[in-house]
Amino acid sequence: MSLQRWAFPLARRFVAGESLDEAIAAVQRLNDDGFAATLDLLGEDVHRTEDADRARNDHLALIETLGHHALDTNISIKLSAFGLGFAPDAARERLEAVLAAAAHTLRDPFVRVDMEGSALVAPTLDVVTSAFARHRNTGPVLQAYLHRTPADVTSMIEHGIRVRLCKGAYKEPPDVALQSMHAIRVQYLALAAQLLAPRGAYPAIATHDPLLIEAVKRVADQRGVAPSAFEFQLLYGVRPDLQRALVADGYRVRIYVPFGTRWAKYFRRRVTERRANLFFALRSLLGR
Ligand SMILES: Cc1cc2nc3c(=O)[nH]c(=O)nc-3n(C[C@H](O)[C@H](O)[C@H](O)COP(=O)(O)OP(=O)(O)OC[C@H]3O[C@@H](n4cnc5c(N)ncnc54)[C@H](O)[C@@H]3O)c2cc1C
């Protein structure tokens, strides 16, 4: 057994499975409990054309399989898996192939484009904006910790493009990103308030931070933004208690469900952003 397979039980708290069957079963369970999902076939940072083509083909196969299931899920992708780092035009073509297939096949055809390290933010937004002009079923993630994000939020609102707002999961230097949690929370809330409008483009508020979640609920309430006009998004395996409480309170909640064999970088980000996640993973492994 490889080291990767041996280590997977540890990652399992945050990764639905290494196979699509396991991921589909996880989405079905989430749907039964009142959650929508977004499936992420893990993989990122490819450097060869054949690997980027394989990633596109894997996503097309995923969409075809999902088309045979009546699940409430869309998909999330990373453009670095489609070769954004070395061939942005080809990455856009791969994304557009996925958008067209999703539009024809899926009950929820939306394809979320995750945001990666700061070097990829401008190229990702260029690709998403240009793909959006031809296919409406896509929108990016914006990271509240970046100094550039207020301008990007304004631009996405002007284009009418759906945004998922998160804090940001990559280590960035002070000239690129806010460093203190207080400053990140302040900027997050200001940006969420901008995105939350009665006739806004259905923003996704992606955080497990109870302070921000409560503040966002208050802003939505004060502005008359109906709970059906936005959604909270949380990660598979993180704060299941909070996930259930939001659904019980009548909010729309989408769970980000990563799966596949390329889970190492995703798992490392979860542990890096919060050391306690390693403890939770160990506790799940021990069944307590
Ligand atoms: C759906 C979704 C999609 C995302 N997509 C991206 C993306 O495309 N690009 C990107 O860079 N990042 C992405 N992220 C990650 C994000 O940027 C943050 O790194 C991550 O969500 C941690 O920030 P937080 O606000 O959730 O909580 P944190 O800042 O880690 O924690 C804030 C507070 O929340 C509570 N809390 C958080 N986690 C736990 C826990 N496990 N147990 C108990 N309490 C907890 C604690 O009270 C803590 O003080 C995504 C996050 C989500 C939820």
Side-chain angles (χ1 to χ4, degrees):
M1 190 191 260
S2 70
L3 181 62
Q4 148 113 12
R5 289 208 79 90
W6 179 84
F8 183 68
L10 198 56
R12 187 174 264 292
R13 162 82 194 237
F14 302 107
V15 178
E18 290 195 306
S19 73
L20 177 55
D21 283 349
E22 289 170 294
I24 285 175
V27 170
Q28 186 64 65
R29 284 193 299 274
L30 289 166
N31 287 174
D32 291 345
D33 289 341
F35 300 102
T38 184
L39 268 171
D40 171 30
L41 172 52
L42 290 162
E44 56 194 275
D45 215 10
V46 313
H47 301 284
R48 299 185 317 173
T49 301
E50 53 267 45
D51 293 334
D53 284 341
R54 187 176 313 122
R56 176 203 54 209
N57 294 343
D58 289 348
H59 281 83
L60 293 175
L62 166 65
I63 288 167
E64 198 185 325
T65 304
L66 289 178
H68 298 300
H69 292 79
L71 295 169
D72 182 2
T73 188
N74 57 38
I75 64 171
S76 290
I77 60 128
K78 286 186 175 53
L79 284 178
S80 72
F82 287 1
L84 181 69
F86 61 92
D89 282 342
R92 180 186 45 71
E93 283 167 18
R94 293 183 187 102
L95 172 64
E96 292 199 33
V98 167
L99 295 178
H104 283 119
T105 314
L106 295 185
R107 182 174 131 182
D108 177 354
F110 188 75
V111 177
R112 176 72 66 190
V113 178
D114 287 351
M115 194 54 81
E116 306 179 63
S118 57
L120 290 183
V121 173
T124 297
L125 292 178
D126 285 349
V127 164
V128 172
T129 309
S130 109
F132 180 81
R134 284 178 289 280
H135 312 261
R136 310 304 270 187
N137 55 326
T138 190
V141 177
L142 295 179
Q143 298 153 320
Y145 66 179
L146 295 182
H147 298 310
R148 59 170 288 155
T149 299
D152 292 332
V153 165
T154 304
S155 163
M156 292 303 125
I157 290 173
E158 279 167 12
H159 282 90
I161 299 180
R162 264 166 79 169
V163 168
R164 173 201 293 154
L165 184 65
C166 69
K167 282 183 184 161
Y170 297 79
K171 177 107 189 93
E172 302 290 356
D175 59 321
V176 171
L178 300 166
Q179 304 291 312
S180 88
M181 183 55 82
H182 175 71
I184 296 169
R185 279 183 171 134
V186 169
Q187 179 141 292
Y188 189 111
L189 186 58
L191 298 174
Q194 243 181 297
L195 290 165
L196 283 164
R199 289 152 66 86
Y202 195 71
I205 304 299
T207 180
H208 315 95
D209 190 329
L211 283 177
L212 283 176
I213 289 176
E214 286 311 310
V216 163
K217 285 181 190 171
R218 278 196 300 277
V219 170
D221 200 34
Q222 284 156 7
R223 303 238 169 122
V225 179
S228 57
F230 68 100
E231 66 186 27
F232 287 110
Q233 293 192 356
L234 296 93
L235 300 175
Y236 182 84
V238 179
R239 296 294 315 266
D241 54 333
L242 179 59
Q243 299 178 1
R244 285 191 294 270
L246 285 167
V247 167
D249 283 350
Y251 290 98
R252 292 191 176 189
V253 181
R254 186 177 302 276
I255 306 300
Y256 184 103
V257 181
F259 76 99
T261 54
R262 299 186 181 90
W263 47 263
K265 287 185 178 174
Y266 178 86
F267 181 54
R268 195 179 313 137
R269 278 197 293 279
R270 298 292 74 82
V271 171
T272 309
E273 75 196 358
R274 198 172 155 82
R275 295 283 160 194
N277 281 340
L278 190 54
F279 167 73
F280 291 130
L282 275 167
R283 203 171 61 176
S284 298
L285 181 60
L286 297 173
R288 282 188 236 141

